[in-house]
């Protein structure tokens, strides 16, 4: 973790079919920053899961929805006490529709509201704030269809100019959608007493079609929330183009399952990239590395970062690219277990990822096995970059 001793504790209010990103990005980002996060759901206990929903903007009159990852809870709703937490985060999606009629949920939210502790709510999460009578007289934004409810609850509605919109009024932070995460998370960290040092770094993400959904967006938005300049590029694509992503989950089969993920927006042109202008490289996993490892320009880019001793953070199947680039010889390295052969044959010392969330740093190289390891993965990259979150 970013801090050896936990100084803040936050509650994440979950429910089935909450939006996938809106649960996992703040959850793992805050953990990476050294904040303890308890994820709870009414009627469920620690170790249970909530199914999530991928909600996308696909050019139709409303968003589309498909199945997301399974989100594991780490605390029991009936055992929590609001007084033990420094703040509350409420994801959106469809879960708030029914959580907003649960009196135990509303009582919990009122306790945070009445004590003026920070509450960060996004997208449809504001339905719960409205039901708890926590927005009267407050400026709020949300996903546009939530506007009439907030107006009826006495809020001062702020129409979102884009899905990246956010509003702060006192202890309440509201956002329009997961596209607002960088500022939404940054403001929440500030609200619970956090300060960031070492920000302003320039970080490059090496993307490809069917990279793992979490493995690109969680670190991407977590680093943006730390006020880093983060670019995402993909061979043969330019700024404004998109990459489809894949949801890889562990559901009891002999290998991970795969479902369609969100569409990820690229921010820069691959052909124009100057590696010398970036401070670090991040390589997501998923299926993209299989074919990116065959691209000579990708290999040259990775070699340039490694030879210059700049931080390189690679997760899951991303190490297929490192292996193909010949940069692992003599390194200690982990990866998704199926990639062990690539790592060993490239001359690296294999480090067993047991448990699967273990990550390791060897010199300028951070490696992880899978997306459950993001908190360690991100915090170890932060350490190499000299970025700290202090409370």
């Amino acid at each position: 973790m970013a801090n050896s001793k936990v100084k803040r504790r936050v509650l994440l209010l979950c429910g089935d079919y909450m939006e996938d990103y809106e649960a996992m990005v703040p959850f793992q980002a805050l953990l990476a920053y050294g904040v303890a996060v308890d994820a709870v759901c009414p009627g469920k206990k620690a170790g249970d899961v909530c199914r999530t929903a991928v909600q996308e903007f696909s050019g139709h009159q409303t968003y589309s929805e498909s199945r997301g990852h399974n989100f594991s809870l780490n605390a029991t709703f009936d055992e929590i006490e609001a007084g033990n937490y420094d703040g509350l985060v409420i994801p959106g999606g469809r879960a708030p529709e029914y959580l907003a009629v649960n009196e135990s949920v509303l009582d919990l939210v009122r306790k945070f509201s009445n004590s003026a502790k920070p509450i960060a709510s996004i997208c449809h999460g504001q339905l719960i704030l409205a039901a708890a009578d926590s927005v009267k007289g407050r400026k709020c934004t949300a996903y546009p269809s939530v506007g009439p409810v907030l107006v009826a609850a006495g809020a001062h509605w702020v129409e979102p100019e884009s899905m990246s919109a956010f509003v702060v009024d006192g202890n309440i932070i509201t956002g329009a959608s997961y596209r607002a995460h960088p500022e939404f998370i940054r403001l929440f960290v500030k609200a619970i007493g956090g300060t960031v040092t070492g920000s302003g770094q320039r970080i490059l993400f090496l993307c490809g079609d069917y990279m793992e959904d979490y493995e690109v967006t969680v670190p991407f938005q977590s680093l943006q929330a730390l006020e880093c300049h983060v670019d995402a590029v993909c061979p043969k694509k330019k700024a404004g183009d998109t990459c489809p992503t894949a949801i890889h989950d562990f559901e009891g089969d002999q290998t991970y399952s795969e479902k369609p993920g969100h569409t990820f927006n690229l921010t820069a042109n691959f052909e124009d990239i100057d590696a010398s202008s970036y401070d670090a490289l991040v390589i997501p996993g998923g299926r993209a590395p299989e074919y990116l490892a065959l691209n000579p320009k990708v290999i040259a880019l990775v070699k340039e970062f490694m030879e210059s001793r700049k931080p390189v953070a690679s997760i899951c199947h991303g190490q297929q690219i490192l292996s193909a680039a010949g940069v692992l010889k003599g390194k200690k390295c982990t990866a998704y277990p199926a990639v062990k052969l690539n790592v060993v044959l490239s001359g690296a010392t294999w480090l067993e990822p047991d448990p699967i969330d273990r990550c390791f740093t060897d010199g300028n190289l951070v490696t992880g096995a899978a997306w459950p390891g993001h908190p360690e993965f991100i915090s170890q990259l932060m350490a190499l970059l000299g970025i700290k979150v202090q409370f």
Side-chain angles (χ1 to χ4, degrees):
M1 295 301 170
N3 295 294
S4 58
K5 184 179 178 181
V6 171
K7 295 181 173 64
R8 294 292 184 274
R9 184 172 295 276
V10 167
L11 190 66
L12 183 73
L13 182 57
C14 302
D16 287 335
Y17 299 109
M18 58 187 173
E19 212 289 326
D20 197 25
Y21 279 169
E22 290 170 7
M24 188 57 85
V25 176
F27 180 74
Q28 291 192 318
L30 290 167
L31 288 172
Y33 305 158
V35 178
V37 187
D38 285 345
V40 297
C41 174
K44 299 193 181 189
K45 60 185 184 300
D48 290 346
V49 301
C50 285
R51 293 183 174 184
T52 70
V54 171
Q55 296 186 335
E56 273 277 60
F57 311 105
S58 306
H60 304 292
Q61 290 181 330
T62 189
Y63 49 85
S64 62
E65 180 174 299
S66 57
R67 276 287 307 278
H69 295 81
N70 293 318
F71 185 93
S72 295
L73 304 169
N74 63 358
T76 301
F77 183 85
D78 290 339
E79 297 175 357
I80 59 172
E81 295 183 16
N84 293 335
Y85 296 94
D86 299 294
L88 174 68
V89 178
I90 306 176
R94 282 195 292 111
E97 294 177 355
Y98 68 89
L99 293 178
V101 296
N102 183 311
E103 194 54 43
S104 295
V105 167
L106 300 184
D107 181 61
L108 177 70
V109 173
R110 290 185 191 110
K111 288 178 180 176
F112 278 92
S113 183
N114 292 340
S115 63
K117 290 181 178 179
I119 300 174
S121 182
I122 202 158
C123 194
H124 286 68
Q126 287 80 302
L127 292 171
I128 299 173
L129 297 183
D133 196 28
S134 297
V135 293
K136 191 171 184 178
R138 298 295 192 96
K139 294 178 181 177
C140 290
T141 194
Y143 190 74
S145 60
V146 181
V149 176
L150 289 172
V151 170
H156 297 302
W157 170 246
V158 179
E159 188 71 29
E161 294 182 2
S162 74
M163 289 298 98
S164 300
F166 61 91
V167 171
V168 182
D169 189 339
N171 65 312
I172 294 180
I173 302 162
T174 52
S177 80
Y178 53 77
R179 298 189 189 282
H181 273 153
E183 285 299 311
F184 179 80
I185 295 169
R186 182 184 69 81
L187 291 165
F188 183 70
V189 168
K190 181 180 178 182
I192 61 173
T195 57
V196 179
T197 57
S199 58
Q201 310 267 3
R202 291 176 55 83
I203 302 165
L204 185 65
F205 273 63
L206 181 55
C207 301
D209 290 345
Y210 299 108
M211 57 190 166
E212 211 287 328
D213 195 26
Y214 279 165
E215 289 173 6
V216 61
T217 299
V218 173
F220 190 87
Q221 292 191 321
S222 297
L223 292 164
Q224 285 183 314
L226 296 172
E227 297 185 271
C228 293
H229 176 91
V230 190
D231 275 331
V233 296
C234 174
K236 301 180 182 178
K237 297 194 182 189
K238 59 184 185 302
D241 288 348
T242 62
C243 286
T245 69
I247 288 173
H248 287 168
D249 218 344
F250 312 101
E251 302 182 283
D253 302 308
Q254 290 181 333
T255 188
Y256 50 84
S257 62
E258 180 172 300
K259 299 183 282 285
H262 298 79
T263 299
F264 185 85
N265 293 313
L266 302 170
T267 65
N269 302 339
F270 181 83
E271 299 296 337
D272 297 338
I273 286 301
D274 176 6
S276 67
S277 69
Y278 292 92
D279 300 298
L281 176 69
V282 177
I283 307 175
R287 283 196 290 109
E290 293 179 356
Y291 69 89
L292 291 178
L294 306 176
N295 186 312
K297 292 184 178 179
V298 167
I299 297 302
L301 180 68
V302 171
K303 284 183 174 179
E304 187 171 350
F305 273 93
M306 287 295 289
E307 289 170 1
S308 65
R309 304 290 298 167
K310 291 180 178 179
V312 173
S314 181
I315 197 163
C316 195
H317 285 68
Q319 285 80 304
Q320 290 176 317
I321 298 174
L322 299 179
S323 175
V327 297
L328 290 180
K329 189 172 183 179
K331 288 286 189 180
K332 296 176 181 178
C333 179
T334 195
Y336 189 71
V339 184
K340 179 178 179 179
L341 183 61
N342 302 65
V343 171
V344 172
L345 292 177
S346 67
T349 298
W350 173 253
L351 299 174
E352 195 67 37
D354 184 18
I356 199 70
D357 60 358
R358 287 293 305 279
C359 295
F360 300 93
T361 298
D362 183 3
N364 67 313
L365 180 64
V366 178
T367 54
W371 56 257
H374 276 147
E376 280 195 23
F377 183 75
I378 295 165
S379 65
Q380 289 182 29
L381 176 59
M382 288 168 59
L384 289 181
L385 289 167
I387 302 171
K388 295 181 181 179
V389 181
Q390 296 171 310
F391 294 95

